[in-house]
Amino acid sequence: MRSIIIKEYLPSKNGWEESIFHTANGYLGIRACPEEGVGDDVFSVRGSYINGFYDIKDISYGEKLYGFPETAQTIVNITDVQGIKLFIEGEEYSLNSGEILKYEHELFMDRGYQEKRILWRSPLGKEVYICVCRMASLVQKHLFILNYKVVPVNFSGEVTIKSSVVGDVENFASADDPRLAGEAQSYLVVDEADFVDDDISLILSSTKRSKLQLSCAVKHRHSKAFEVEYEKEGNILTTVFTASAKQNEAVYICKYCVFVDSRHNDKPREKSLEILKDAISHPMECFMNKQQKYLDKFWDTSRVIVEGKKLQRSMDYGLYSLLCSAGQDGISSVCAKGLSGEGYEGHYFWDTEIYIFPFFLLTNPEIAKELLMYRYNILPKAKEHARIMGHDSGALYAWRSITGSECSAYYPSGSAQYHLTGDVSHAFVQYYLATGDIEFMQKYGAEVLIETARLWMDVSHEREGVFYIDSVTGPDEYTCIVDNNYYTNCVAKENLLWAYKIMEILEEQGLDKNIKKKLNISDKELKSFKKASDKMYLGYDEKLGITPQDDSFLSKAKIDLSSIPEDKFPLLLNYHPLWLYRHQVCKQADVVLAHSMFEDYTDKKTMEKSFLYYEKITTHDSSLSSCAHSVLASKIGDMKKALSHMESSSLIDLEDTHGNTRDGIHTANMGGLYNCIVQGFAGLRIKEEGLYLNPQLPPKWDGYSFSLYFQGRLISLKMTKKHVTLRLLDGEPISVFLFGDKIKLKDKERILL
Amino acid sequence: MRSIIIKEYLPSKNGWEESIFHTANGYLGIRACPEEGVGDDVFSVRGSYINGFYDIKDISYGEKLYGFPETAQTIVNITDVQGIKLFIEGEEYSLNSGEILKYEHELFMDRGYQEKRILWRSPLGKEVYICVCRMASLVQKHLFILNYKVVPVNFSGEVTIKSSVVGDVENFASADDPRLAGEAQSYLVVDEADFVDDDISLILSSTKRSKLQLSCAVKHRHSKAFEVEYEKEGNILTTVFTASAKQNEAVYICKYCVFVDSRHNDKPREKSLEILKDAISHPMECFMNKQQKYLDKFWDTSRVIVEGKKLQRSMDYGLYSLLCSAGQDGISSVCAKGLSGEGYEGHYFWDTEIYIFPFFLLTNPEIAKELLMYRYNILPKAKEHARIMGHDSGALYAWRSITGSECSAYYPSGSAQYHLTGDVSHAFVQYYLATGDIEFMQKYGAEVLIETARLWMDVSHEREGVFYIDSVTGPDEYTCIVDNNYYTNCVAKENLLWAYKIMEILEEQGLDKNIKKKLNISDKELKSFKKASDKMYLGYDEKLGITPQDDSFLSKAKIDLSSIPEDKFPLLLNYHPLWLYRHQVCKQADVVLAHSMFEDYTDKKTMEKSFLYYEKITTHDSSLSSCAHSVLASKIGDMKKALSHMESSSLIDLEDTHGNTRDGIHTANMGGLYNCIVQGFAGLRIKEEGLYLNPQLPPKWDGYSFSLYFQGRLISLKMTKKHVTLRLLDGEPISVFLFGDKIKLKDKERILL
């Protein structure tokens, strides 16, 4: 049984608990807020979200320059269906009063639901056992079910449960943290709030400016013992259940909540009622069974077996959370906080392509494809954005966005991160190399590669036969607006090459005509891509023997990180950006990441030296950093460091080591944790020549194992102290590179080394 | 007679006219708005201002990072005393109705007042001559007088004049232009609005957040023919004058307006009444006579005689405007737009020290000293600002401010302009060298030089014995956050040297003890300043033989400015900053300015080549640019270009070549125009060794002349085709360098060369 459990309710950790135990399915996400609410002094973000369901807000600037976006999208806190109040003999249940005799909150990752089990003694001495079970169906994505069971322990008497659906909701705000939205806002306006067909609570709302519609329909199954009444007060619809309950006999209500929005359906109201009516005819167990089947299949190919319970738990939690976070509809992707909170306003960043995509690509390529479709679908917006930024041709993906238009209000570590465009192209290339899906490339991928390559042609400039890229920001946000950021030049180099190559491949197969015509591509242009790629400048510092992060990084002032007091971290909350830019200090992996993504662009010695140099000056203030360090540590064979960085990565959410999990989980890091094993320990790389594996074992480990899809084959890898075992579980024979040697996998034969 | 005159009223140029003909005296500034108001479709900024009288407003950020200022000061539009409505036989006078038979608006720069002369025919055919005279007293700075004279031309009949004082005023706003304030705001709240002593209109107000007080007291002198009534409506106090006027006989009212604010006086209300009562006992002519005397003295030493009426007019207008803009109280300075408008929110920038200060230093050193006192008085704020920006010691002057705290909401071309701190030190050094005022240096100057030098020690870093300054922005705002901006390193080098030198000089004179103790200065620290100055990195590009603007400028993409359509200028309003940063394009003089300020830091050949290189890629989108180019053009002996750049500079306001004079005049450029002749044509430099002059004449010119103070002597220079004539007009004999040769000036003897 794979579960996360906590056995104590700490008001000070309420926000963290709400994030960690949130319920989501890639479409819908509901934070694990106490149904009955919290006291005034308890941090709580009472939030529910639909992936990609947004409103628009103005961005204010003290000084607004040309091209600064005037509005931003923001994920909307939707109709609140969490509300349940419990009264026993008139006494209201609350974690703030009475006595909590037992508290357990558990997430079953193999079954796909959460359970909260509480034994509570009221101020007047009545004891009740409360068990709350929450599930967002992975099969019927519009459906969220909440089962609320009450058992009188030491009395018989009246039990009242008031279950509400609240239409007037606000987004959360914190004025000071730049990583959160600026000001509290209500985005959703209720158009209709009433009981429909007697017992269905229906709330229809619209967003103020994006004019999206949302319908929320709720109906209950319940114990026969209950008498039911319906109350409407403003936009709060309450169903009141009253029963004379007997000692030790359970009563329950089971709340079926259906959400349908107008981005996904033309008629949200009708559709929500239709889905609800169908769902309510089945007991919750029925959906639980389907949930388990779905997850059995997921874990079967996705699980990574690692060493140690704690790490295994983090790994399971990470992969489970990724599944629950990923949009699979081509109009949504993976928010920086998944669907667990409002941090970063529900925007999609580069996280998806670089940190999360590899997991889906290797375990659930159909989901990976949907994530790429999202990028394809917003390509027109990326072209618009490129024009705003002054580029006459090409597509520049926005740094943070939902619909594709730029939402970054601070461009030096926002829009200036041009690398995102290369990150997107990298994902398309990896997808093609891992799946061989040439049809997809013909229909969608080539267009993205061509338009992004055009961007690099426009942004780069040639000087004496070499191509340079100036005034951009790389992944490291403590060093902004620089020339020839190594990471950026690497992704641009790959992007340009593959725009050329994919057309070559399509031409060989006679598939290039339509796309060439549609995009008006000439051979001359394709050759120019190739030339720019070949001649892209990649820096090297002779003196230090390392890769410079950018043209000026290594000449900046050095600083000893250990001289900075601990309470000054994360540095971005305690130092002016200019101070950070002026020093050799990194928020996160930059060169380190580039080296593991593009190991063939340099040699191992440079990687080694670069790793040691940058590791010393990296604060890991970004949750995207430790995992990237772990991967490169493995690459250079320092398995001790690989392990230790991976361990840091594994603790970020479950132990709240960044102190901000209450704003939502760190999805990119979860993908990163997967990468620590698969790209790191196992040294997996997907290259044009095929799949490369270089498995290593960290000190004291007995082994690890995982499966992966490659070119339609399902392959398992098991690493132990004695052996590497590769096995073709499904599909035609295929050759892979193990420790550099080409070996053939066939049938179900094991390869032992 | 030195005057500016326009002979036509064009509604489309109303805003420009309001700025050009504004009335100011360094303390008070009132735009030349039509007294009776304008039609809805006419651009007008109905504004009156007191230098340094500000309120506080919040700055909004879409993403706020550490150290971003949360509030800004903004100059406040004060009580409106301009309002006068005229009725002839019931018909209301307006420039929008009837017929303007004659319109003349004239500024008398030798007399210090404006006059508007209008012959107007009413819709019913009555003709009146209206003459409005406005003066802000240069002697009694709290006093503004407006004389309104009416002559019935073709009729006799009732004339009514309604003169109002309006307490409820708002600042002007334009949402789109980053150079103007963001949103319309009312900052002033009326505390009292009533008639006092029967006939004095008194409005007492306070600013909302800065809690400053302002008292405005108004009383009229008037023709005996008038009957007078007093009307109060809300916070509008109106004095109504009615008379049976006879054809061809003038009637007038003369409005004495006194403003006193709590930054300058403890009891504004009492003081305003006191000043008003004293002033009103004297006819306007009395103040006009004093005004003329004051100006006779001013022009006597300040006037620069140049070639051509048009240029002479620009020069006169510029110097007159500087006088009317300069705060002389140690708590105000020169706003970017003087007191003629709200552009740049009444903030003080580096403009004062680098562009304007030289004029005052050479012609009115007492005013120059007051400008320095302003910087001395805000030194504590500069130290606070340095801490916010991450510096453990030293003082960093805010980029834009009134009280000294940073008001820049876009730091890449705001707070990042560290050079301002060196600009301030440069002004102190120039002051010392030009006046020899060691007492001032002991009391104030040394402290500023030491604290600013400490800033450079903290911001620079040493690598292999050389000092570098990273991640700052130089004067050119099209290239931000760069390493080793040449200009910045130059001012830092001088600043560091003079912090050392001034202490050496004070020590020699036994004046160093107090300051050393107060600032805890050790000899070691002083030596470290000297070393950092000596070893300050100043770049040189071997290949091009020019000075690189910064470490990366010359490797950026080149762009042909002539390929950019004209409607895309100024570029900052049409291109995203990253696009600008990515190209070799300059908004304004940067290296060019550095070379003329610090000619001894390089050689003439480098200056020549640099000039030619940067001139080609400079858009002069900043009004601070052409003048700086002119000065360096003279230095390298290209007098044709020197003339042409000077001519561009001379047209900015009077011909509105930047299209934004309606927001206020460009004071820095006015100082710059002076510098074109004095530093440019005449090659004046103030150095440790003394005064240097290298007069040249541009092609086709017959000559120019001016006077200047140096070391307490008044010296005149006259350049003609045949001769340079130097003359010591006042003071002890002194040696100066003429064309490099030391010559002695004594008595009233002329030196002819």
Side-chain angles (χ1 to χ4, degrees), chain A residues 62-63, chain B residues 51-57 59 71-76 178-181 187 332-339 341-352 356 374-375 398-409 420 667:
Chain A
E63 255 182 272
Chain B
N51 200 350
F53 187 76
Y54 67 96
D55 201 12
I56 293 165
K57 59 173 200 174
I59 307 180
T71 59
Q73 302 119 45
T74 187
I75 199 164
V76 168
R179 296 168 298 183
L180 289 172
Y187 295 107
S332 64
S333 181
V334 186
C335 310
K337 303 287 187 187
L339 294 164
E342 291 165 35
Y344 294 111
E345 301 178 79
H347 292 159
Y348 314 127
F349 292 76
W350 68 308
D351 309 28
T352 310
I356 297 168
Y374 165 73
R375 289 295 181 187
W399 174 243
R400 53 189 296 174
S401 185
I402 294 173
T403 65
S405 63
E406 182 61 273
C407 296
S408 168
L420 184 142
T667 51

Side-chain angles (χ1 to χ4, degrees), chain B residues 132-150:
Chain B
V132 187
C133 174
R134 292 173 173 222
M135 189 182 86
S137 173
L138 287 158
V139 178
Q140 171 47 273
K141 298 223 165 190
H142 298 280
L143 180 64
F144 168 72
I145 306 180
L146 189 159
N147 193 74
Y148 198 95
K149 187 168 78 173
V150 179

Side-chain angles (χ1 to χ4, degrees), chain A residues 649-667:
Chain A
S649 160
S650 74
L651 301 178
I652 288 179
D653 282 313
L654 290 183
E655 304 216 345
D656 200 13
T657 51
H658 281 225
N660 62 358
T661 295
R662 64 186 201 173
D663 302 329
I665 57 169
H666 299 78
T667 52

Side-chain angles (χ1 to χ4, degrees), chain A residues 321-334:
Chain A
S321 297
L322 287 179
L323 176 68
C324 296
S325 301
Q328 302 182 30
D329 49 21
I331 60 169
S332 65
S333 181
V334 187

Side-chain angles (χ1 to χ4, degrees), chain A residues 487-498:
Chain A
Y487 179 94
T488 306
N489 288 22
C490 283
V491 294
K493 181 181 172 75
E494 185 195 47
N495 194 159
L496 287 159
L497 180 68
W498 273 95

Side-chain angles (χ1 to χ4, degrees), chain A residues 559-696:
Chain A
I559 184 149
D560 176 9
L561 284 184
S562 66
S563 71
I564 298 175
E566 261 190 52
D567 63 357
K568 293 285 189 189
F569 293 88
L571 299 182
L572 83 158
L573 297 185
N574 294 288
Y575 289 91
H576 191 280
L578 280 176
W579 190 94
L580 296 170
Y581 301 170
R582 199 172 286 136
H583 288 92
Q584 290 194 39
V585 57
C586 298
K587 185 182 175 196
Q588 62 205 101
D590 193 302
V591 168
V592 162
L593 178 63
H595 279 336
S596 52
M597 284 170 62
F598 303 100
E599 58 182 32
D600 298 332
Y601 288 178
T602 187
D603 57 77
K604 202 172 167 194
K605 194 161 184 191
T606 307
M607 283 193 236
E608 271 170 24
K609 287 191 167 183
S610 293
F611 178 84
L612 293 174
Y613 191 88
Y614 290 105
E615 189 196 27
K616 226 178 282 171
I617 56 176
T618 301
T619 63
H620 307 296
D621 285 344
S622 162
S623 64
L624 285 63
S625 187
S626 294
C627 50
H629 278 75
S630 175
V631 174
L632 193 62
S634 289
K635 171 71 201 171
I636 64 171
D638 188 337
M639 295 311 292
K640 208 174 144 192
K641 279 189 175 169
L643 183 60
S644 119
H645 283 296
M646 184 188 66
E647 279 166 351
S648 295
S649 160
S650 74
L651 301 178
I652 288 179
D653 282 313
L654 290 183
E655 304 216 345
D656 200 13
T657 51
H658 281 225
N660 62 358
T661 295
R662 64 186 201 173
D663 302 329
I665 57 169
H666 299 78
T667 52
N669 174 61
M670 290 162 166
L673 185 60
Y674 175 83
N675 298 337
C676 289
I677 302 294
V678 175
Q679 298 176 353
F681 291 9
L684 181 146
R685 297 290 186 277
I686 299 166
K687 300 187 186 181
E688 205 179 350
E689 301 75 26
L691 185 71
Y692 285 73
L693 294 161
N694 288 289
Q696 300 173 79

Side-chain angles (χ1 to χ4, degrees), chain A residues 410-411 463-464 543 555, chain B residues 410-411 463-464 543 555:
Chain A
Y410 177 67
Y411 78 83
R463 201 175 64 242
E464 293 166 13
K543 209 168 150 194
S555 61
Chain B
Y410 177 67
Y411 77 84
R463 200 176 66 243
E464 294 166 12
K543 208 167 151 196
S555 61

